[in-house]
């Protein structure tokens, strides 16, 4: 959400606010829960005319070598007068003018680039600046002569100050769904005023007045009927005639542009202005297009067509609330989007202006059903202020009168059978203190509540600890004591709650490693080894799963009312989130990545639904997984090392070290090649008979989907399985070896199908007492070997924990190992 600072100042005045800078206002907003994501300076003129000042022409003489140039001396308030050559026909001594001094940058009207003022010679005469015309400053089109100012203008005054070219600031706020009360300029002003009032600041907060509203005549009465009152608890309207179509005034256009809206015309811009001013959506119907001269708020039969303002023909559901004409034809999807046929145009001279409070659930379902996200639906879905409906209507009517020459031609129709009362409940100071962690003085709390518009209706008779409060209905998110405690705290200030000098806690010893402990240990290990944790949305694109065999699209858990097409299903794998992160970082020139993510994945099995109709959750499965991603360089180039690219072994090594941390050796897992349309090459590993992980090189087809050119290696671990296995594994410690270990190497000629894992298993089976480790340090496959053969070089580490190994014991152990390798794998020891 974007807020214009100049617009904001229209509603809040007072010394406490006026002395704040824009960055200070942004800091206050962030502190009270309206987090500012960015500030952008909007200049009325590019560069704000920096280096342009008011000057006084002291002398003016003809140029000695020109019949149209003049040589002037100009006082710009900097001490020594400047000599400036000027070609304007109207320059004369005694004038106050605008002067661009050396170093100033100007961009004339219509120019694509700016130019800098430099010291120059014009026909042999030095010129130390420029006396400016209107178009040369970018202020207009006129080039008839220089701008001549009022004689009383102070010399040396910056041009931006004299011309009041203050510009504006755009404050971008990351509005959370529960804070729709802050979803307008009035709402933001209300929060800032509450913050300042709670600190004793003198500020005045006032809604734009509507006291001048009156009915001019009764020339156009349009009756209203609300059939579906559940969907429209409050519906109001008024007719305005005599309208003149045209552009909006410059001040309104500037406000709208500052928040990213393009002005259209006065009839449309007024409704947009009110929406962003007060948070109340309005809709204007061309009165001449309302068939039957009547407005009916109701649902329509299933499949009723309507062409909305975006030009799309939509078919209404029987549950969609619509604004219909007297003939029953829908003119607008209520609270979501208007229709083309009833919209205002250049020929519009009379309108029916709608202001309503629609049910948030109805609007949310309709908007999702039709895939529409409009500014109006954004407000209605979260709940608009039920008490501002008429004020907004009258405010808009006054603007139509002022800016379009309109006349109010009917009484205000207000159908509001059940007014929304304030939210009333008890508020305990002691309970609030316990939640906050600090006892805030009662007078301070009362002052904060008053600043928030919360009425304290009464106190109890036991020391005033409990208050009976009434929260205004526009605070749809404050309905219980804990909500109000949060409101008090955000205005009081989170940073004002001191950390206690003493913490009290109880220590417990868990016999098994908990799942959280496993996750924290894994996170610490990966982060310490150069991996960065990412967090992504579990909602993702359905198109990612089209055509996949590993994760077929029919197994996606689909969202009934998705926020957008990009968030239509729950993810089945963490891979696509990882590739999105890689693509984002690569596009920002950060291509060397080591990432990990813990996240839940979801799947749907229709067969289980048919077999377990009594259990609605049976077809759905949720698993926690750990994804690890590697791409780019493993080691960057430095003065003592060459750059080294990441590879499969970069990833597998990291996975192996993490598993070792929990007592598992990757070499002991049951690993075998895996075929998957996600990977060009992959390995699947099982632990205790169940698949634990899959890792490999992501397929080029998937990389192309994300426009990635560098190889990406990805591993996905069943973290639930790992956590359970880690909890059941006991890690034992022992003393350091007192006797030295011995290494012996064997070069083996084996069949191409024999794996290192098989050789390792046979070796440990042959020598259980002395063998401590087996490592593969060389592989050779070439023309020098017989067909179908390869050479493995293995290193065996032997150690006796009770005595120093003798040559005889070593030879016996190695002989036994060689014999068993030959017997079980056909290996031949190469001399």
């Amino acid at each position: 959400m974007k807020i214009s600072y100049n617009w904001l100042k229209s509603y809040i005045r007072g010394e406490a606010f006026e002395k704040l800078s824009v960055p200070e206002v942004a800091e206050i907003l962030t502190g009270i829960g309206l987090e500012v994501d960015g500030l952008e300076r909007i200049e009325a003129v590019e560069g704000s005319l920096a280096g342009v000042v008011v000057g006084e022409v002291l002398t003016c003489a003809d140029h000695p070598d020109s019949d149209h140039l003049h040589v002037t001396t100009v006082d710009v308030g900097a001490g020594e007068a400047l000599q400036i050559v000027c070609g304007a026909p109207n320059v004369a001594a005694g004038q106050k003018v605008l002067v661009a001094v050396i170093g100033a940058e100007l961009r004339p009207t219509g120019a694509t680039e700016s130019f800098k003022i430099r010291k120059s010679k014009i026909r042999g005469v030095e010129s130390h600046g420029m006396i400016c015309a209107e178009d040369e400053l970018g202020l207009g089109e006129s080039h008839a002569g220089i701008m001549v100012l009022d004689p009383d203008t102070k010399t040396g005054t910056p041009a931006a100050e004299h011309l009041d070219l203050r510009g504006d600031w755009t404050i971008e706020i990351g509005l959370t769904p529960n804070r729709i009360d802050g979803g307008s300029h009035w709402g933001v002003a209300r929060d800032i005023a509450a913050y300042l009032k709670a600190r004793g600041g003198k500020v005045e907060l006032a809604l734009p007045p509507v006291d001048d509203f009156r009915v001019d005549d009764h020339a156009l009465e349009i009756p209203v009927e609300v059939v579906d009152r559940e969907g429209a608890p409050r519906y109001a309207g008024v007719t305005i005639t005599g309208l003149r179509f045209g552009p909006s005034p410059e001040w309104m256009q500037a406000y709208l542009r500052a928040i990213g809206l393009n002005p259209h015309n006065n009839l449309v811009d007024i409704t947009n202005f009110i929406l962003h001013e007060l948070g109340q959506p309005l809709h204007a119907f061309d009165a001449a297009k309302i068939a039957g001269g009547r407005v009916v708020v109701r649902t329509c039969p299933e499949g009723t067509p309507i062409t909305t303002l975006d030009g799309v023909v939509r078919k209404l559901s029987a549950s969609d609330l619509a604004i219909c004409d007297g003939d029953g034809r829908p003119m607008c999807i209520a609270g979501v989007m208007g229709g083309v046929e009833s919209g205002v145009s250049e020929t519009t001279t009379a309108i029916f202006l709608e202001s309503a409070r629609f049910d948030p659930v109805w609007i949310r379902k309709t908007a999702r059903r039709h895939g529409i996200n409009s500014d109006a639906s954004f407000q209605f879905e979260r709940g608009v202020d039920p008490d501002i409906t008429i004020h907004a209507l009258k405010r808009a009517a006054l603007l139509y009168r002022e800016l379009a020459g309109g006349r109010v031609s009917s009484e205000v129709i207000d159908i509001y059978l059940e007014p929304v009362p304030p939210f009333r409940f008890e508020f305990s100071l002691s309970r609030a203190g316990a939640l906050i962690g600090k006892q805030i003085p009662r007078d301070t709390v009362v002052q904060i509540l008053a600043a928030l518009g919360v009425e304290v209706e009464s106190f109890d008779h036991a020391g005033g600890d409990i208050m009976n409060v009434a929260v205004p209905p526009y605070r749809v998110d404050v309905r219980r004591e804990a909500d109000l405690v949060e409101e008090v705290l955000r205005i009081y200030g989170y940073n004002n709650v001191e950390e206690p000098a003493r913490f009290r806690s109880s220590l417990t010893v868990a016999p098994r490693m908990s799942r959280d402990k496993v996750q924290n240990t894994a996170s610490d290990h990966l982060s310490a080894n150069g991996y960065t944790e990412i967090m992504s949305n579990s909602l993702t694109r359905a198109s990612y799963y089209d055509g996949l065999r590993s994760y077929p699209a029919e197994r996606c858990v689909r969202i009934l009312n998705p926020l957008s097409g990009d968030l239509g299903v729950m993810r089945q794998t963490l891979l696509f989130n990882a590739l999105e992160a890689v693509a984002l970082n690569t596009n920002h020139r950060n291509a060397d990545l080591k990432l990990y993510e813990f996240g839940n994945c979801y799947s749907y099995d229709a067969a289980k639904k048919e077999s377990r109709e009594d259990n609605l959750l049976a077809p759905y499965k949720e698993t926690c997984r750990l994804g690890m991603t590697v791409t780019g360089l493993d080691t960057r180039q430095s003065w003592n090392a060459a750059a080294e690219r990441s590879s499969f072994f970069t990833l597998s090594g990291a996975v192996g070290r993490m598993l070792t941390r929990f007592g598992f050796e990757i070499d002991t897992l049951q690993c075998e090649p895996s075929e998957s349309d996600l990977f060009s090459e992959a390995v699947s590993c099982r632990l205790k008979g169940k698949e634990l992980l899959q890792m490999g090189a992501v397929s080029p087809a998937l990389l192309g989907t994300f426009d990635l050119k560098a190889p990406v290696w990805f591993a996905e671990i069943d973290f639930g399985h790992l956590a359970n296995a880690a909890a059941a594994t006991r890690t034992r410690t022992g003393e350091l070896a007192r006797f030295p270990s011995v290494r012996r190497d064997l070069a083996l000629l084996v069949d191409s199908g024999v794996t290192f894992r098989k050789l390792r298993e046979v070796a440990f089976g042959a020598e259980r007492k002395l063998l401590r480790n087996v490592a593969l340090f060389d592989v050779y496959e070439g023309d020098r070997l017989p067909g179908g053969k390869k050479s493995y070089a293995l290193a065996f580490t032997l150690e006796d924990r009770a005595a120093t190994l003798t040559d005889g014991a070593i030879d016996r152990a190695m002989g036994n190992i060689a014999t068993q390798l030959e017997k079980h794998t056909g290996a031949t020891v190469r001399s």
Side-chain angles (χ1 to χ4, degrees):
M1 181 187 73
K2 293 183 177 180
I3 294 293
S4 160
Y5 178 67
N6 287 346
W7 193 349
L8 183 68
K9 292 192 295 184
S10 304
Y11 314 112
I12 178 170
R13 291 184 175 85
E15 181 183 355
F17 175 73
E18 292 167 358
K19 70 180 182 182
L20 296 173
S21 66
V22 176
E24 287 173 333
V25 171
E27 185 177 350
I28 289 173
L29 289 172
T30 297
I32 59 179
L34 298 176
E35 184 172 357
V36 174
D37 292 335
L39 289 175
E40 181 182 355
R41 183 81 168 91
I42 301 175
E43 297 176 333
V45 176
E46 184 177 347
S48 297
L49 298 185
V52 181
V53 297
V54 175
E56 181 179 2
V57 182
L58 302 179
T59 64
C60 180
D62 291 338
H63 193 288
D65 192 26
S66 173
D67 58 357
H68 69 280
L69 296 176
H70 302 86
V71 180
T72 66
T73 55
V74 184
D75 177 16
V76 294
E80 185 178 352
L82 303 178
Q83 177 176 284
I84 299 175
V85 177
C86 179
N90 64 329
V91 65
Q95 292 175 335
K96 293 291 180 70
V97 293
L98 291 178
V99 180
V101 301
I102 293 175
E105 290 194 20
L106 303 180
R107 183 174 179 179
T109 301
T112 58
E113 296 182 356
S114 59
F115 68 93
K116 181 177 285 189
I117 302 297
R118 293 181 171 86
K119 178 182 176 181
S120 62
K121 274 191 177 183
I122 302 177
R123 294 198 178 185
V125 179
E126 286 190 355
S127 183
H128 297 266
M130 177 178 175
I131 304 176
C132 301
E134 180 181 288
D135 66 330
E136 292 166 335
L137 296 173
L139 299 175
E141 303 289 340
S142 175
H143 194 67
I146 61 171
M147 295 178 65
V148 180
L149 310 179
D150 188 282
D152 296 330
T153 307
K154 183 179 178 181
T155 300
T157 303
E161 180 181 332
H162 171 71
L163 298 174
D164 195 23
L165 300 178
R166 297 169 297 166
D168 199 356
W169 286 85
T170 297
I171 305 173
E172 188 165 358
I173 296 174
L175 192 70
T176 53
N178 64 311
R179 289 302 313 279
I180 193 60
D181 63 288
S184 64
H185 285 75
W186 168 247
V188 172
R190 187 167 49 199
D191 251 22
I192 294 174
Y195 174 88
L196 296 175
K197 286 180 180 179
R199 284 153 179 77
K202 294 182 178 180
V203 291
E204 293 181 5
L205 184 69
L207 276 168
V210 294
D211 300 336
D212 293 337
F213 177 86
R214 68 180 185 278
V215 178
D216 297 307
D217 55 51
H218 292 81
L220 184 61
E221 298 282 354
I222 296 181
V224 174
E225 180 185 3
V226 179
V227 176
D228 291 291
R229 291 182 176 173
E230 179 186 350
R234 187 172 194 179
Y235 191 88
V238 70
T239 60
I240 302 171
T241 60
L243 294 169
R244 296 189 300 272
F245 183 94
S248 301
E250 183 56 39
W251 64 265
M252 181 176 284
Q253 293 190 39
Y255 282 166
L256 294 177
R257 288 194 187 99
I259 62 172
L261 296 182
N262 292 321
H264 297 284
N265 56 71
N266 52 357
L267 304 187
V268 172
D269 291 347
I270 288 173
T271 57
N272 287 334
F273 178 82
I274 296 297
L275 168 62
H276 293 280
E277 178 184 57
L278 302 176
Q280 173 63 55
L282 304 177
H283 190 73
F285 299 89
D286 189 328
K289 300 175 182 177
I290 302 177
R294 192 162 63 97
V295 171
V296 182
V297 184
R298 53 169 296 172
T299 55
C300 296
E302 185 76 30
T304 301
I306 179 175
T307 304
T308 48
L309 289 173
D310 56 1
V312 177
V313 179
R314 306 178 188 275
K315 293 186 177 181
L316 298 178
S317 161
S319 301
D320 294 333
L321 190 68
I323 313 300
C324 303
D325 59 23
D327 294 341
R329 290 177 298 189
M331 301 184 294
C332 169
I333 303 178
V336 178
M337 186 174 285
V340 169
E341 296 180 0
S342 63
V344 298
S345 64
E346 296 180 4
T347 61
T348 299
T349 59
I351 62 171
F352 174 79
L353 184 62
E354 165 196 281
S355 180
R357 174 179 172 262
F358 296 116
D359 182 84
V361 176
W362 281 55
I363 301 304
R364 185 180 303 114
K365 289 182 177 180
T366 295
R368 298 297 169 268
R369 192 177 293 122
H370 294 284
I372 300 175
N373 292 303
S374 63
D375 289 342
S377 66
F378 179 87
Q379 296 282 343
F380 282 126
E381 286 177 23
R382 290 157 177 79
V384 298
D385 181 0
D387 294 335
I388 209 168
T389 308
I390 300 302
H391 188 100
L393 190 68
K394 291 181 177 179
R395 166 76 165 148
L398 291 174
L399 287 174
Y400 277 113
R401 178 186 289 164
E402 175 188 349
L403 306 181
R407 297 172 60 82
V408 178
S409 295
S410 74
E411 298 290 341
V412 172
I413 298 172
D414 185 16
I415 302 174
Y416 192 24
L417 299 182
E418 298 182 8
V420 179
F423 304 116
R424 291 184 168 89
F425 49 82
E426 289 186 346
F427 181 81
S428 167
L429 291 172
S430 59
R431 287 196 295 267
L435 285 173
I436 293 171
K438 177 180 180 178
Q439 286 297 145
I440 302 175
R442 170 178 155 171
D443 291 344
T444 302
V445 173
V446 171
Q447 188 177 20
I448 291 173
L449 294 178
L452 288 169
V454 176
E455 182 182 356
V456 179
E457 295 183 325
S458 63
F459 289 93
D460 69 351
H461 301 290
D465 176 67
I466 297 178
M467 318 174 186
N468 293 303
V469 297
V471 178
Y474 69 80
R475 288 310 308 268
V476 294
D477 61 321
V478 183
R479 302 194 178 192
R480 55 180 184 155
E481 184 181 54
D483 298 332
L484 192 54
V485 171
E486 183 180 0
E487 289 298 294
V488 170
L489 178 56
R490 72 180 183 86
I491 298 299
Y492 179 74
Y494 294 97
N495 293 334
N496 292 327
V497 179
E498 303 85 358
E499 291 186 4
R502 176 184 298 177
F503 289 95
R504 297 180 180 179
S505 64
S506 58
L507 299 178
T508 59
V509 178
R512 293 159 57 101
M513 183 179 283
S514 67
R515 185 190 183 105
D516 290 340
K517 177 65 174 176
V518 174
Q519 180 170 336
N520 290 336
T521 301
S523 295
D524 291 343
H525 174 83
L526 291 172
S527 296
N529 282 273
Y531 283 73
T532 301
E533 184 173 11
I534 63 173
M535 289 184 285
S536 54
N537 198 339
S538 56
L539 296 174
T540 187
R541 297 183 183 181
S543 59
Y544 286 157
Y545 298 92
D546 292 341
L548 286 185
R549 299 187 307 275
S550 302
Y551 296 100
E554 56 268 21
R555 299 203 64 180
C556 288
V557 177
R558 300 186 178 274
I559 306 301
L560 293 178
N561 295 304
L563 294 172
S564 70
D566 291 343
L567 302 173
V569 300
M570 306 289 281
R571 64 187 174 196
Q572 295 189 62
T573 173
L574 299 177
L575 173 59
F576 298 117
N577 297 103
L579 293 178
E580 287 175 344
V582 171
L584 176 65
N585 281 272
T586 300
N587 292 337
H588 286 78
R589 298 182 179 275
N590 182 28
D592 305 326
L593 300 169
K594 294 179 179 179
L595 310 173
Y596 73 94
E597 177 180 14
F598 292 93
N600 290 339
C601 295
Y602 307 84
S603 62
Y604 173 78
D605 188 345
K608 291 185 178 180
K609 179 181 180 180
E610 296 174 359
S611 61
R612 293 290 305 278
E613 294 183 356
D614 59 320
N615 186 353
L616 296 177
L617 297 180
Y620 299 97
K621 184 179 180 181
E622 177 181 4
T623 58
C624 181
R625 298 186 187 175
L626 167 60
M628 296 172 60
T629 311
V630 172
T631 186
L633 295 178
D634 182 21
T635 304
R636 296 188 178 183
Q637 183 178 6
S638 65
W639 66 272
N640 63 347
E644 184 177 343
R645 299 201 66 83
S646 299
S647 67
F648 171 80
F649 299 102
T650 306
L651 179 64
S652 62
V655 171
R657 289 189 295 273
M658 187 196 67
L659 293 177
T660 301
R661 179 66 182 81
F662 297 108
F664 307 109
E665 294 290 340
I666 195 169
D667 292 331
T668 63
L669 302 182
Q670 300 169 358
C671 297
E672 55 189 20
S674 172
E675 292 187 4
S676 170
D677 47 2
L678 301 181
F679 302 100
S680 56
E681 290 183 285
V683 173
S684 175
C685 297
R686 305 176 71 84
L687 175 65
K688 298 181 178 179
K690 180 180 178 182
E691 185 176 78
L692 175 66
L693 64 91
Q694 190 177 38
M695 59 182 171
V698 179
S699 72
L702 283 184
L703 295 180
T705 302
F706 294 86
D707 198 23
L708 295 172
K709 297 178 175 57
V712 177
W713 289 270
F714 179 76
E716 190 162 50
I717 301 170
D718 184 339
F719 186 72
H721 183 27
L722 175 62
N724 292 335
T729 300
R730 301 195 63 178
T731 303
R732 295 180 175 86
T733 59
E735 64 177 347
L736 293 173
R738 291 182 292 172
F739 302 99
S741 60
V742 174
R743 169 176 164 166
R744 289 290 185 268
D745 297 342
L746 286 180
L748 302 175
L749 186 66
V750 298
D751 293 337
S752 297
V754 176
T755 64
F756 167 68
R757 176 173 168 270
K758 179 63 176 176
L759 297 174
R760 187 178 186 278
E761 287 179 355
V762 172
F764 273 104
E767 182 53 62
R768 289 185 170 87
K769 180 181 178 182
L770 300 181
L771 186 60
R772 296 290 175 257
N773 187 45
V774 181
L776 174 66
F777 66 88
D778 187 47
V779 179
Y780 175 74
E781 293 178 283
D783 297 337
R784 297 181 182 179
L785 299 178
K789 297 289 185 177
K790 62 183 175 181
S791 175
Y792 274 0
L794 304 182
F796 299 86
T797 302
L798 304 173
E799 180 186 274
D800 191 339
R801 300 188 185 279
T804 300
L805 282 171
T806 64
D807 290 340
I810 296 171
D811 292 341
R812 282 193 299 274
M814 293 303 300
N816 189 30
I817 291 173
T819 300
Q820 294 301 316
L821 287 174
E822 182 177 1
K823 177 180 178 181
H824 293 285
T825 68
T828 302
V829 178
R830 301 180 66 193
S831 57

